[in-house]
Amino acid sequence: MKARNLLYSQKVAPYVFVLPFILSFAVFWIYPLITAFTMSFQDIGAIKSEWVGFDNYTKLLKDKVFMVAVANSAKYMFLTLVLLIPFPLLFAVLIDSNIVKAKGVWKAVMYMPALTSVVISGTLFRLMFSEYKTGQMNIIAEALGLGTYKWLKNGWSGMIALLILACWRWTGVNMLYFLAGLKSIDTSLYEAADIDGASPVQKFFHVTLPMIKPTTIYVLTISVYAGLAMFLESYMLWAGNSSPNNIGLTIVGYLYKRGIEKNNMGYACAVGVVLLIVALVINFAQLFLNGTFKKED
């Protein structure tokens, strides 16, 4: 009887409901994180492992290929932030307005690419950016009188292919985040702006943007990590982890190359730890600059 009363207690019940999340978080996130951090200080072989201290990190700082991967991931992250925050926000504002009809249809159309497998979409985009005349991008280029081009064998055009794939896939998702944020804005604020004679542009900058700031910070936070952790899109676009002159190599791709392809798990774990630290530093910095940690008056 006491056990039953304890189970139905209002003090105990919240912990019972939270327990599954805590257990899954500990088993599938905390434990792997601690294990990876420990492995990053080891030289792990097929039979035994040896503690090597900071050797993996020392080699990492001198690794030119790793620096190329970091530069590629940083560039990709920055460009996706430039493209996948302002444009989805503008699309969300348009769909939320009275200008666009059939809003549900547009939401579904914009969100559908996110439901497509990265393997399938990456393969399709590889065919689109093929260096042969049958590739869709070369067909368009020839129609414009520009001739054919080896899109996936040059740094800038390879990055363009990655960015187009990212925009095609994630614009609709971010747009829905912003739409949810727009729905939370009190309509009386827009009515007051109308009374004051504010134009649509003024209402956007002085009402919409300030009120949608929490949503923008959330989208920015997840986009920073998504940009740095991108791997499968690049892997599928170049049909493997070996792009010409490493133009498509990312941090996670380098982790995969060293850990899985070359069976150097200790070194790969060091790459993963550095990726985690970089992502945390960037996100904490932008959260601090955006005033997330400031106490409200």
Side-chain angles (χ1 to χ4, degrees):
M1 189 68 179
K2 290 183 178 180
R4 184 173 181 178
N5 291 336
L6 184 65
L7 182 63
Y8 285 93
S9 170
Q10 291 185 356
K11 295 182 179 179
V12 177
Y15 296 99
V16 174
F17 285 111
V18 172
L19 186 61
F21 167 75
I22 294 175
L23 289 176
S24 60
F25 183 74
V27 172
F28 296 108
W29 202 88
I30 298 296
Y31 174 71
L33 178 62
I34 295 173
T35 303
F37 183 74
T38 304
M39 291 171 63
S40 69
F41 294 98
Q42 299 175 339
D43 181 12
I44 301 173
I47 301 176
K48 63 178 182 178
S49 59
E50 180 184 357
W51 190 268
V52 294
F54 288 94
D55 285 359
N56 288 329
Y57 292 97
T58 304
K59 293 177 182 177
L60 206 57
L61 294 174
K62 300 177 182 178
D63 194 333
K64 293 182 180 180
V65 179
F66 174 69
M67 294 304 171
V68 170
V70 171
N72 290 339
S73 292
K75 188 189 302 181
Y76 176 84
M77 178 202 70
F78 175 76
L79 292 174
T80 51
L81 292 180
V82 171
L83 295 171
L84 288 176
I85 292 182
F87 289 107
L89 174 57
L90 291 176
F91 293 151
V93 171
L94 284 173
I95 289 180
D96 193 53
S97 68
N98 296 324
I99 300 174
V100 177
K101 305 300 180 184
K103 301 179 188 294
V105 175
W106 284 108
K107 291 177 187 178
V109 170
M110 295 290 286
Y111 186 74
M112 281 179 63
L115 302 177
T116 308
S117 167
V118 184
V119 175
I120 295 173
S121 56
T123 304
L124 291 175
F125 270 77
R126 184 171 73 247
L127 296 174
M128 285 175 56
F129 285 90
S130 170
E131 63 184 81
Y132 301 110
K133 292 184 178 181
T134 53
Q136 281 80 357
M137 295 302 294
N138 275 336
I139 291 174
I140 295 172
E142 279 201 324
L144 296 173
L146 301 176
T148 59
Y149 192 77
K150 297 180 179 180
W151 298 94
L152 299 179
K153 291 188 177 180
N154 293 280
W156 68 271
S157 55
M159 182 60 67
I160 288 174
L162 282 172
L163 292 173
I164 293 176
L165 174 56
C167 291
W168 174 80
R169 186 171 173 79
W170 298 115
T171 296
V173 176
N174 288 355
M175 184 193 72
L176 291 181
Y177 287 139
F178 285 120
L179 273 172
L182 291 173
K183 295 299 182 184
S184 66
I185 300 176
D186 191 349
T187 55
S188 63
L189 296 173
Y190 291 109
E191 293 171 0
D194 287 331
I195 294 172
D196 290 338
S199 66
V201 175
Q202 289 175 322
K203 286 190 288 185
F204 176 76
F205 283 103
H206 296 287
V207 179
T208 303
L209 281 183
M211 297 305 297
I212 209 174
K213 183 179 177 181
T215 306
T216 305
I217 293 174
Y218 172 75
V219 174
L220 176 61
T221 302
I222 61 174
S223 297
V224 166
Y225 175 76
L228 291 174
M230 187 272 292
F231 165 62
L232 192 54
E233 290 88 342
S234 173
Y235 189 90
M236 295 308 303
L237 199 60
W238 275 277
N241 207 22
S242 299
S243 55
N245 297 320
N246 293 318
I247 59 174
L249 184 65
T250 63
I251 299 176
V252 179
Y254 190 63
L255 186 155
Y256 180 88
K257 181 186 289 287
R258 297 305 297 259
I260 305 300
E261 295 178 357
K262 297 187 177 181
N263 196 27
N264 191 347
M265 291 303 299
Y267 196 81
C269 287
V271 175
V273 171
V274 170
L275 171 61
L276 176 63
I277 292 172
V278 170
L280 287 175
V281 168
I282 294 175
N283 268 326
F284 273 110
Q286 65 90 6
L287 289 172
F288 178 80
L289 292 173
N290 283 315
T292 304
F293 300 117
K294 290 182 180 178
K295 294 183 179 179
E296 296 183 0
D297 296 331

